[in-house]
Amino acid sequence: MTALSAAAARAAHLTADGAPTIFADTLAERLLGGLADEMIGYHRTHGEHIILAGTRAVTTVRARYAEERLGAHGQYAVLGAGLDTYGYRGDPGIRVFEVDHPATQEWKRGLLAAAGIDIPDRVALVPADFEAGEPVGELTGAGFDAGRTALVSWLGVSFYLTRDAVAETLGEIARLAPGTELVMDYALPEGHRDAEGDAYARIAAHVVGENAEPYRAHFAPGEIEALLTGRGFEVAENVALRDAVPPETWRRSDALRPFDYFRLVRAVVTG
């Protein structure tokens, strides 16, 4: 459900919101298939609701923030890829490795086939379980060049894991080539959010809990930085949604507003 909701939010942004466009996911609607009309339509008719508007804001900002870093690398590892579509619409010169649970990947393969979207040779689907195994360790067997730098995105995942699982995965990423960049988002605990962030957190906890996908890990900004630096990263940025995109992004007349519950951190493997 969370993968569907994120894809629907990215797709809905192109029609439910006005200018300026934060991020254009031109394939998300096709990937939703028969659910597209209902899920995107819900955003159009109830788009001012804090959960719907907030989800459109966070999913578009984090996707833009990550993909803007791709120019420095020829490899892109998408951890917890869900219904991410970069591999099917992005730069054909960049190799893409989608790392996710095997069941999720089989489901995605079915959606891609139903949408008539081929999986190009440059895209590898790498099965892994973040709680039970070593997801990053599976990359090399799929053709990932561990001797070259890469961009690693880990978006919409960390707050569903235990803190130990987050720490272990960060330790794995830190073993990649020096200069590799990580972009991840994380959820703030109580006392670190703004009023809108608290409101979003209360409702979201109820919704994801009903779907048996509860939020587990929250980090204060200093905690996530300490975790990263302790595992061999140098933190380059640790920003709220408001500051992850140019200021003019928020000069808008629709319902999208930056709220402070999810933050984005960019860190570089130092070796």
Side-chain angles (χ1 to χ4, degrees), residues 79 129-131 133-136 152 154 157 161 163-175 182 231 233:
L79 306 187
D129 186 336
F130 287 89
E131 290 285 5
E134 296 184 351
V136 178
V152 179
W154 197 21
V157 180
L161 303 177
R163 291 171 73 100
D164 285 346
V166 172
E168 288 172 10
T169 300
L170 291 177
E172 284 192 64
I173 299 168
R175 292 199 294 270
L182 166 69
R231 277 156 180 77
F233 291 90

Side-chain angles (χ1 to χ4, degrees), residues 97-211:
F97 300 84
E98 297 188 2
V99 183
D100 215 333
H101 193 280
T104 302
Q105 292 188 330
E106 285 305 306
W107 170 64
K108 183 175 185 177
R109 285 180 189 273
L111 294 178
L112 287 165
I117 301 171
D118 294 328
I119 301 176
D121 291 341
R122 68 187 184 90
V123 176
L125 272 61
V126 185
D129 186 336
F130 287 89
E131 290 285 5
E134 296 184 351
V136 178
E138 303 293 337
L139 285 169
T140 53
F144 183 86
D145 186 348
R148 296 172 54 210
T149 68
L151 176 68
V152 179
S153 71
W154 197 21
L155 302 172
V157 180
S158 69
F159 27 91
Y160 294 108
L161 303 177
T162 63
R163 291 171 73 100
D164 285 346
V166 172
E168 288 172 10
T169 300
L170 291 177
E172 284 192 64
I173 299 168
R175 292 199 294 270
L176 298 177
T180 290
E181 285 188 88
L182 166 69
V183 172
M184 69 175 287
D185 57 353
Y186 65 97
L188 295 170
E190 290 185 33
H192 291 268
R193 313 165 188 154
D194 60 12
E196 291 79 8
D198 274 333
Y200 185 100
R202 284 194 301 272
I203 301 171
H206 178 69
V207 172
V208 299
E210 282 188 341
N211 292 327

Side-chain angles (χ1 to χ4, degrees), residues 30-55:
R30 285 177 60 188
L31 205 55
L32 292 170
L35 295 173
D37 287 346
E38 177 185 355
M39 296 191 77
I40 296 173
Y42 201 66
H43 280 270
R44 290 175 182 149
T45 55
H46 305 283
E48 294 187 359
H49 188 282
I50 186 171
I51 289 294
L52 296 177
T55 301

